[in-house]
Amino acid sequence: MSSLTVTLDALHLFGDPTRVRLVALLAHHPLTVADLTTVTRLPQSRVSTHLGRLKDAGVLRDRRAGSSTVYALNDGTMPDHVRRVWTLLEGDGEADATLRTDRERCDALLEARARDLPWPDALAGEMEKHYSPGRTWDALARGLVGLLRLGDVLDAGSGDGAIAELVAPRAGTYTLLDRSERMLAAARARLAKATNVRVLHGDLHDIPAPSASFDQVLLLNVLPYAERPAVVLGEVARVLRPGGTVALITLDEHTHAGLAAQYGHVQPGFRPATLRRLLQRAGLAVERCEVTSRERRAPHLNVVTAFAHKPEGNGASHVD
C-alpha cells in the first residue's frame, strides 16, 4: 500500500467529527463507553461503533475494569501515518468550541466521581495523571536510582550535570561529555565534591575516548542536536565495551519546525522504526525502541525511549 493511500485512509478515519471528539477526550483521560456517552451526549451505539473503528485503526487501546471496558489513546503503538494526522488535528482543535465543551463536561464528571469515592479508589487505573502528596516523578526517580549498580558510565551530551548529580553516586566512574564549555563549567561546580566524576570537552561525532571504554552510555535528549545521527551512534557503539548498554531518549518525528529552530534542533525527531534501524546499523542489539510518553503541554510532542546493547564479541564500530 502506497504512502499516499495510507495517509488518505488516516484522513478519512478522522473525517468524522465524532471520532475526533472521542480521541480528543481519550487523549487526556481513559474513559468508559458510559463516560463518553455522558460527556458527548451521543447514543451509546454510535459511540461504540466509532470506538471500534478507532481501535481497529490502532488509535485507541482498551482494558477491562470490572464489567466495563476502559478506552485510552494508544500512544505506544499508534501507526505513524495515523499519528501524524492526529497531531495536526489536535493542534488545530485547541480552540474548538465543541471540544472545549467536551473537556469541561469530562472534567466535571471526573471531579464528581472523585468526590463520591475514597482516595485513591477514585484514581484507580490513572493514578499517575493526578497529584497525590509526595508522589512526584522526581521523587520516584530518586528512589529507583538506588537500585542501580553501574560501571563506567558516559553521559554523552551531559549538559550541566543534572543527571550526573543523580546517577554518578551509583556508578564506578562517571564521565560527562559536552561541546559547551559553559555547560561543563556548571557541571564542574555542581559535582565539585564527587570523586568518581571526570569532565570532557568534545563532540559526539568524534568522542574523545578509546574504543571499549564504557559499560553504559546515556544519550538523553541530545540526538536532535546531531547533524549526523548515524555517526553519533557509531561512536557510541565504538566506545562501548562488549555487553555494554545504551539508554536513549529523544523526540518522535514531528512537524513543528519553529519549535525545533527555537531550541537549536537540527533533526525533527526520529520515528521509532528509523531510530531502531540507526541503532542496528551501528552494530547494537535493540531491546526496546518505542514511543513511551506524550507531553501534556502543546504541541504535545511524543517521546521515544530506546534501550540497546553491544553484543559480546562485537568489535569497535564506526559509521562514516
Side-chain angles (χ1 to χ4, degrees):
M1 187 178 294
S2 70
S3 59
L4 177 60
T5 300
V6 296
T7 299
L8 289 173
D9 286 345
L11 290 170
H12 179 69
L13 178 69
F14 290 113
D16 188 300
T18 297
R19 288 198 279 269
V20 175
R21 291 175 69 186
L22 295 176
V23 177
L25 286 166
L26 293 168
H28 293 280
H29 302 284
L31 299 167
T32 66
V33 175
D35 294 333
L36 290 164
T37 57
T38 299
V39 170
T40 61
R41 300 182 180 178
L42 295 171
Q44 180 174 331
S45 58
R46 184 175 172 186
V47 169
S48 295
T49 298
H50 287 303
L51 289 173
R53 177 76 184 276
L54 291 165
K55 181 187 173 187
D56 290 343
V59 181
L60 304 180
R61 55 185 169 81
D62 64 0
R63 61 178 174 83
R64 297 294 299 177
S67 60
S68 300
T69 300
V70 179
Y71 290 86
L73 193 70
N74 189 20
D75 277 332
T77 57
M78 187 186 301
D80 288 341
H81 65 284
V82 176
R83 187 188 302 280
R84 288 196 297 273
V85 174
W86 170 243
T87 299
L88 290 172
L89 286 172
E90 186 178 35
D92 292 340
E94 288 291 329
D96 182 83
T98 300
L99 297 183
R100 185 168 58 250
T101 299
D102 284 347
R103 287 195 298 270
E104 291 170 355
R105 288 177 183 158
C106 184
D107 290 342
L109 174 70
L110 296 176
E111 288 171 6
R113 179 175 299 160
R115 288 194 297 269
D116 295 336
L117 288 173
W119 191 96
D121 291 12
L123 306 181
E126 54 179 287
M127 182 174 286
E128 74 280 3
K129 297 185 178 182
H130 297 269
Y131 170 77
S132 61
R135 289 175 180 262
T136 66
W137 288 112
D138 180 70
L140 177 62
R142 292 180 183 278
L144 291 177
V145 77
L147 301 177
L148 296 178
R149 297 292 186 274
L150 302 174
D152 297 320
V153 177
L154 172 64
D155 189 345
S158 61
D160 66 359
I163 299 298
E165 187 176 28
L166 182 66
V167 178
R170 314 302 300 177
T173 66
Y174 196 99
T175 300
L176 294 88
L177 171 66
D178 205 279
R179 64 186 179 187
S180 167
E181 287 284 13
R182 183 170 183 175
M183 283 290 188
L184 292 177
R188 290 187 185 95
R190 183 193 293 268
L191 300 164
K193 296 182 180 180
T195 58
N196 65 334
V197 169
R198 67 169 178 156
V199 173
L200 289 179
H201 178 252
D203 193 283
L204 298 181
H205 296 81
D206 186 16
I207 297 175
S211 299
S213 293
F214 301 102
D215 299 301
Q216 293 91 21
V217 174
L218 305 180
L219 273 174
L220 307 181
N221 303 301
V222 296
L223 213 53
Y225 296 96
E227 293 182 0
R228 293 175 294 163
V231 172
V232 169
L233 294 177
E235 278 291 275
V236 166
R238 179 183 67 81
V239 300
L240 264 181
R241 294 172 180 142
T245 57
V246 181
L248 189 156
I249 297 174
T250 190
L251 292 176
D252 191 8
E253 186 176 85
H254 62 86
T255 58
H256 302 283
L259 182 141
Q262 178 183 352
Y263 286 92
H265 292 176
V266 296
Q267 304 292 339
F270 301 84
R271 297 183 192 177
T274 301
L275 183 58
R276 179 181 289 273
R277 286 194 296 271
L278 288 171
L279 288 163
Q280 290 171 337
R281 288 171 184 170
L284 299 169
V286 181
E287 301 163 13
R288 183 185 188 189
C289 184
E290 62 187 11
V291 173
T292 52
S293 61
R294 182 171 177 274
E295 295 181 340
R296 293 188 179 184
R297 62 179 292 178
H300 307 292
L301 299 177
N302 293 310
V303 180
V304 177
T305 301
F307 302 128
H309 68 273
K310 185 173 182 176
E312 297 283 352
N314 196 8
S317 175
H318 186 78
V319 179
D320 294 321

